[in-house]
Amino acid sequence: MDQDTRDDFEPFKLEHLPREEDEKQLSIYLNRLQQFKSYSKILAIMVIILGAMGALGWFFNVPLLRGEYEGIIGIKLNTALLFILAGSCVYLLNLKLKGKQVLIPRILGIIIVVWGTLTILEYITGTNLGMNYLFSSILPNNSILTKSRLASTLNFILLGVALLMASYKFKIRYVQTIAFFCGFIALFGLSSYLYGSSSDYFLDILAQMAFMTSLIHILLSVSILCLCPDHSYMGRITAQNSGGYMARRLLPAALMAVFLMDLLIVSGERLNIYSTYFGNIFGVILALALLTTVIIWNSNILNKMDRQRQESNIRRLNLKKFYENLVEGINEGIWVTDKHDRLYFMNRGMEEISGVTSQQMEGLHILEDLPDNTTDGLKEYYRKAKETLKPVHYDSIKATSPSGRQSYQSGWIIPQLKEGKFNGAICTVIDATLRKEAENALKKSETFYRTIFENTGTATIIIDQNTTIIMANKRCESMSGYSVDEIEHQLSWTNFVHPDDREKMKTYQQMRRVPGKEAPSEYEFRLLNKEGEEREVLLFTSLIPGTTDSVVSMLDITERKKAENVIKKSLKDKELLLREIHHRVKNNMQIISSLLNLQRSYVDDEEADNILQESQGRVKSMALVHEKLYQTADLAKINVGDYIESLTMNLFHSYRTKPGIRLNLDVGDIYFNIDTAIPLGLIINELVSNCLKYAFKDQNEGEVVISVRKVDMDELDEVNEVNGIGGGNYYLLEVRDDGVGLPEDLDIEHTNTLGLQLVKTLVLQLDGTIKIIRNNGTCFHIIFQEQKYIKRI
């Protein structure tokens, strides 16, 4: 049942609530009360409508609206107007009127009483007080017969008094008594039409009432009865018990049965079906049969209710036993006091916590007999609960058992009330010793970590997922210019970030909190302090496990960045200088090459010309290394593939090679420093020059293949035999052609040829070995080691 339904009955005490603590039964009971209140509203509206119909019948001279048909007397105008007032009054009393609003139904009740009193005074004294002439001037037939009859007037006076009493919520029992009485008077008037009456007798005339008036009076009386369905006589009818159940079924059945049965008997006598004597006997037999049927029917229903009540009691007993076992079985301690503050119950959990038995503590006065040194303020908490009548929580109070064991206890003291007064208390106890020890350890740990947090050597903050800084150490003050109090829970980290870096850092923060996405945990940004000064900061951040908060450490690297910029500028200057040196060396060698070429034009001897050409090629190969170096981003190494391609293309051009002689390069992505590139270039220059001069003299087609690749350690047997080493990076150079080949008697170790001697010397310079393979041409197989830079003095 919702709170609004309960509030409908707050002005009155619910006298007939179910005694069992059964929410379902309570809900049924409150729903029934709400239904009866609805009946009161509906009947009040019907009274207003029927009264309005009677008044309209008079004003528009419509006899049917006044209830006049087939000789039946119609409702009087005064009666119709009083019904409108009375129905409105009942309807308003059903509403939740506040303040001065309640004056409206009280004024209506007073008007009804005064109006009825004036009318009955005219009947009793015979004095004309004008009630019979009300509204006569505006009636179509200028009728003066407008005042209520005597019985109806008496009803209005009584019902007006009842409505006034109900508006003051005074003696509801008398209100319902008046409503019952007036209802039966109206039923008396209604019965006179059904059973017949005579104008020869005073009482017959006294009971006369218009048919429509009788019917409306019955509706009005029932509406007033249903106004307070939870009190007095109506409370007994609506009660959620056997008596109420029988009343709700027997009362309507008995009233209707007796009324209809008697009407049936009288009708039979009028129709001469049987005599008056037989009618009396017939009425007795019908009454006995009806009562027997109703009694048997209700006894069966009561038997079912008893069985249900027994089953409910069994369930309640089982539930009681369950809760007793539950209370005894829980680990929490529970002790209960009576209204005199004496202990009368302790569960096993409390015995274990306190170290004493329930028998030892039974009858102990909590406030007087409990030693002060055994608890830390428990009595004060108990007194507070007793005075305020509200539950009081106590936490981690120190307690000492009779055995001397000290512990910390937490729990609630819940006062029990009876009729709004203190009636003892239920107290729960939890042994909080382990929690207290954990709290102390946590405080120690927090102190430890707070010390670390404050002394990390960097400005450290903790931020939540909304970018708010929730913690900051003292180092932040010098970096940001704000105090810690101005930062914590007041500022966002975005307040300190340069606008150009802000979006990047927001993106990182969002990524860091999305599963599966990774954001940098270390990066640089520009910080703006309180004065607007820009600082370069190195940031380290990560999420705190199990939370959405981040811990951020910041290191001011402004001075370091300035130093780095100075170094970078210096390095850039040196880089430019080094490029310029390589460029000038290349230019100088190019001049030497040009001088050699110029000298060739003055030499007629072919051998001398070849010597100059070979020297020119060697110079070009060295110049090409310097050219490649100053053209690369990394001044330390050159791309071997590009270098060999440029070198061999120059040789093919210098020796005017036949078109059918092809060049095939197989060089991976390999980079060498100058100490390796120059000897390698000279070796390739000598081998390719010899190939182009001698290998294809009598051939128009052929192929020169040059390959360089890194070799694995298991391919270094030959190197190990020669040099006795196996470490470092080793490479294989192959220069192969399919020309005429070398003479069989040529020994690379004892040759007089300058070029091959130069090759042998350069191979040794590269810590390598050379082998000649004669198979469909010539293949020079050279394994060499990449040279490391040796510091020159």
Side-chain angles (χ1 to χ4, degrees):
M1 177 59 59
D2 57 23
Q3 187 63 37
D4 290 340
T5 302
R6 295 174 185 263
D7 292 344
D8 286 340
F9 306 99
E10 280 185 355
F12 311 109
K13 181 180 178 183
L14 298 179
E15 298 176 346
H16 302 281
L17 283 174
R19 291 189 180 276
E20 297 87 353
E21 296 178 0
D22 190 336
E23 285 294 329
K24 181 178 179 182
Q25 295 297 321
L26 178 60
S27 177
I28 294 173
Y29 174 67
L30 293 176
N31 277 329
R32 184 181 303 117
L33 296 184
Q34 192 65 39
Q35 289 175 0
F36 272 76
K37 293 280 285 185
S38 299
Y39 298 156
S40 179
K41 289 181 182 179
I42 294 171
L43 293 174
I45 293 172
M46 292 177 63
V47 169
I48 295 171
I49 294 173
L50 292 174
M53 288 173 56
L56 292 174
W58 278 95
F59 285 114
F60 295 102
N61 196 20
V62 181
L64 185 61
L65 292 178
R66 298 196 297 265
E68 298 175 7
Y69 55 94
E70 297 183 0
I72 296 177
I73 300 173
I75 189 172
K76 298 299 183 179
L77 178 59
N78 285 5
T79 304
L81 296 175
L82 287 172
F83 276 133
I84 295 173
L85 296 178
S88 301
C89 184
V90 176
Y91 185 82
L92 290 173
L93 289 176
N94 275 288
L95 303 179
K96 297 179 182 179
L97 300 178
K98 297 180 180 179
K100 295 183 179 180
Q101 293 177 345
V102 75
L103 293 176
I104 300 174
R106 290 174 184 173
I107 292 172
L108 294 178
I110 292 172
I111 292 174
I112 294 169
V113 173
V114 172
W115 196 326
T117 302
L118 292 175
T119 303
I120 205 166
L121 284 176
E122 284 190 344
Y123 279 110
I124 295 173
T125 63
T127 305
N128 182 8
L129 299 177
M131 302 307 296
N132 210 29
Y133 295 91
L134 288 177
F135 308 106
S136 60
S137 61
I138 60 174
L139 295 177
N141 56 0
N142 201 24
S143 173
I144 61 173
L145 301 175
T146 61
K147 70 178 181 180
S148 304
R149 290 178 180 271
L150 182 62
S152 178
T153 302
L154 179 62
N155 261 14
F156 278 123
I157 294 173
L158 294 174
L159 291 175
V161 173
L163 290 174
L164 281 172
M165 293 172 67
S167 68
Y168 286 99
K169 305 176 183 61
F170 176 74
K171 299 295 183 182
I172 302 301
R173 180 180 60 181
Y174 296 151
V175 173
Q176 294 178 357
T177 301
I178 294 171
F180 273 119
F181 179 74
C182 293
F184 279 107
I185 290 178
L187 184 61
F188 199 176
L190 180 65
S191 301
S192 66
Y193 283 96
L194 300 176
Y195 294 104
S197 63
S198 173
S199 299
D200 299 331
Y201 301 96
F202 174 74
L203 289 178
D204 285 15
I205 296 173
L206 186 64
Q208 285 181 358
M209 190 183 297
F211 180 83
M212 188 172 177
T213 301
S214 302
L215 182 61
I216 300 176
H217 266 301
I218 292 173
L219 296 177
L220 180 59
S221 298
V222 176
S223 178
I224 295 174
L225 285 172
C226 294
L227 183 61
C228 304
D230 56 318
H231 278 66
S232 192
Y233 307 115
M234 289 301 296
R236 298 169 190 173
I237 295 173
T238 60
Q240 186 69 10
N241 51 37
S242 301
Y245 185 85
M246 288 187 63
R248 288 192 297 276
R249 280 154 181 78
L250 286 177
L251 190 60
L255 290 174
M256 293 299 297
V258 172
F259 186 80
L260 294 176
M261 183 180 63
D262 203 21
L263 181 62
L264 179 64
I265 294 171
V266 172
S267 299
E269 292 176 358
R270 288 178 179 176
L271 296 174
N272 295 321
I273 298 175
Y274 44 76
S275 65
T276 303
Y277 178 75
F278 181 83
N280 293 333
I281 297 174
F282 184 49
V284 172
I285 298 300
L286 282 178
L288 291 174
L290 175 64
L291 290 174
T292 302
T293 302
V294 171
I295 291 171
I296 293 174
W297 174 53
N298 277 276
S299 65
N300 181 48
I301 294 175
L302 290 175
N303 288 335
K304 290 182 179 179
M305 292 179 65
D306 287 339
R307 285 196 298 271
Q308 292 175 355
R309 192 177 298 277
Q310 290 172 1
E311 292 173 357
S312 177
N313 286 334
I314 292 172
R315 287 195 300 270
R316 187 166 60 254
L317 290 173
N318 291 335
L319 187 62
K320 180 181 178 182
K321 185 177 181 181
F322 168 77
Y323 281 115
E324 288 177 352
N325 294 333
L326 182 64
V327 169
E328 290 294 343
I330 62 177
N331 293 326
E332 289 187 9
I334 296 177
W335 51 274
V336 184
T337 60
D338 59 18
K339 63 181 179 180
H340 302 296
D341 306 320
R342 293 194 175 274
L343 185 71
Y344 70 87
F345 174 78
M346 282 175 56
N347 70 341
R348 284 196 293 268
M350 189 63 213
E351 291 179 350
E352 293 178 1
I353 293 173
S354 63
V356 294
T357 63
S358 180
Q359 290 78 10
Q360 292 174 308
M361 300 292 289
E362 187 174 356
L364 177 73
H365 196 285
I366 295 297
L367 298 177
E368 296 177 1
D369 299 337
L370 191 66
D372 292 333
N373 60 352
T374 59
T375 58
D376 182 17
L378 179 63
K379 292 182 180 180
E380 296 304 320
Y381 290 111
Y382 186 89
R383 289 191 183 96
K384 182 178 179 181
K386 184 177 180 179
E387 292 171 0
T388 63
L389 300 180
K390 293 180 180 180
V392 174
H393 180 257
Y394 62 94
D395 185 44
S396 299
I397 63 172
K398 192 174 182 180
T400 305
S401 69
S403 62
R405 176 181 174 269
Q406 291 186 345
S407 62
Y408 291 93
Q409 298 177 2
S410 301
W412 287 87
I413 300 177
I414 307 170
Q416 302 299 295
L417 305 181
K418 184 176 181 181
E419 297 180 355
K421 296 181 180 179
F422 181 77
N423 193 44
I426 298 175
C427 307
T428 63
V429 180
I430 299 175
D431 191 344
T433 306
L434 294 178
R435 192 197 73 187
K436 187 68 175 179
E437 292 174 352
E439 287 178 354
N440 292 335
L442 180 61
K443 288 179 180 179
K444 183 178 179 181
S445 176
E446 287 179 351
T447 302
F448 175 74
Y449 284 109
R450 183 71 194 192
T451 303
I452 295 175
F453 183 75
E454 289 292 345
N455 295 278
T456 56
T458 62
T460 305
I461 60 174
I462 296 177
I463 59 175
D464 62 17
Q465 62 180 353
N466 298 321
T467 75
T468 302
I469 300 173
I470 58 178
M471 186 178 287
N473 67 358
K474 287 290 183 181
R475 293 271 182 172
C476 294
E477 293 183 344
S478 58
M479 180 177 288
S480 67
Y482 292 92
S483 67
V484 171
D485 293 337
E486 290 177 310
I487 296 174
E488 290 182 345
H489 302 286
Q490 304 295 326
L491 298 176
S492 166
W493 61 259
T494 56
N495 296 118
F496 302 100
V497 179
H498 192 281
D500 293 344
D501 295 339
R502 199 169 294 158
E503 289 303 320
K504 173 188 71 175
M505 295 180 66
K506 285 183 178 179
T507 302
Y508 289 165
Q509 185 188 25
Q510 294 170 358
M511 291 173 59
R512 195 170 290 112
R513 286 162 175 78
V514 176
K517 290 192 175 183
E518 295 184 1
S521 59
E522 176 183 343
Y523 55 89
E524 297 177 7
F525 76 98
R526 287 166 291 177
L527 179 142
L528 299 177
N529 63 16
K530 188 176 184 179
E531 304 301 328
E533 181 184 359
E534 184 178 316
R535 309 292 294 177
E536 295 286 343
V537 175
L538 178 61
L539 176 147
F540 305 88
T541 181
S542 64
L543 282 177
I544 299 175
T547 71
T548 57
D549 298 337
S550 299
V551 59
V552 179
S553 296
M554 296 173 289
L555 183 63
D556 190 341
I557 58 172
T558 305
E559 298 303 322
R560 191 184 79 183
K561 292 292 288 185
K562 291 179 180 179
E564 285 181 359
N565 291 334
V566 171
I567 293 172
K568 286 180 180 179
K569 184 178 183 303
S570 176
L571 289 174
K572 187 174 182 181
D573 294 341
K574 291 178 181 179
E575 180 182 337
L576 290 174
L577 179 60
L578 187 58
R579 289 183 188 276
E580 182 62 23
I581 290 172
H582 281 298
H583 185 66
R584 293 194 179 190
V585 170
K586 175 255 181 183
N587 288 342
N588 290 335
M589 288 187 173
Q590 192 67 38
I591 291 172
I592 295 173
S593 175
S594 299
L595 290 174
L596 290 174
N597 189 49
L598 181 62
Q599 187 63 47
R600 286 177 59 194
S601 63
Y602 292 97
V603 175
D604 296 329
D605 184 45
E606 182 178 355
E607 184 178 356
D609 183 69
N610 289 335
I611 292 172
L612 291 174
Q613 185 178 11
E614 289 173 358
S615 298
Q616 185 182 8
R618 294 175 186 130
V619 173
K620 282 184 177 181
S621 69
M622 291 186 289
L624 187 59
V625 171
H626 290 279
E627 180 181 357
K628 293 295 182 182
L629 281 173
Y630 78 72
Q631 289 178 349
T632 61
D634 184 3
L635 291 170
K637 292 186 177 184
I638 65 171
N639 187 297
V640 176
D642 290 344
Y643 172 58
I644 294 175
E645 182 179 6
S646 299
L647 178 62
T648 52
M649 292 303 296
N650 285 334
L651 291 173
F652 269 62
H653 177 71
S654 297
Y655 287 97
R656 296 181 177 87
T657 307
K658 298 175 183 178
I661 306 303
R662 302 180 305 279
L663 174 64
N664 187 353
L665 296 178
D666 181 16
V667 183
D669 192 20
I670 300 174
Y671 290 83
F672 286 150
N673 56 28
I674 190 171
D675 291 338
T676 305
I678 289 179
L680 181 66
L682 291 172
I683 291 171
I684 294 172
N685 179 78
E686 294 299 327
L687 295 179
V688 175
S689 297
N690 286 339
C691 177
L692 296 178
K693 285 194 295 183
Y694 305 114
F696 304 107
K697 279 188 175 181
D698 301 324
Q699 294 180 212
N700 294 324
E701 293 184 356
E703 183 180 32
V704 179
V705 179
I706 302 174
S707 67
V708 181
R709 65 180 177 85
K710 191 173 183 179
V711 295
D712 298 328
M713 295 300 294
D714 56 359
E715 299 182 63
L716 299 179
D717 291 342
E718 185 177 359
V719 177
N720 292 338
E721 292 176 0
V722 175
N723 299 323
I725 59 173
N729 295 324
Y730 283 87
Y731 295 85
L732 171 63
L733 167 65
E734 285 186 335
V735 180
R736 184 173 63 251
D737 65 74
D738 55 358
V740 297
L742 293 174
E744 292 293 336
D745 58 351
L746 178 65
D747 184 3
I748 189 69
E749 298 294 334
H750 304 91
T751 180
N752 294 323
T753 306
L754 177 60
L756 292 179
Q757 287 181 357
L758 182 58
V759 169
K760 178 183 176 183
T761 302
L762 292 171
V763 169
L764 291 175
Q765 184 178 333
L766 293 175
D767 298 325
T769 61
I770 184 171
K771 182 168 62 175
I772 301 175
I773 300 173
R774 297 176 175 88
N775 185 10
N776 296 326
T778 304
C779 177
F780 288 88
H781 186 279
I782 301 172
I783 294 179
F784 64 95
Q785 188 176 12
E786 181 182 7
Q787 300 300 296
K788 294 183 179 179
Y789 174 76
I790 300 175
K791 186 176 181 181
R792 276 80 170 177
I793 297 177

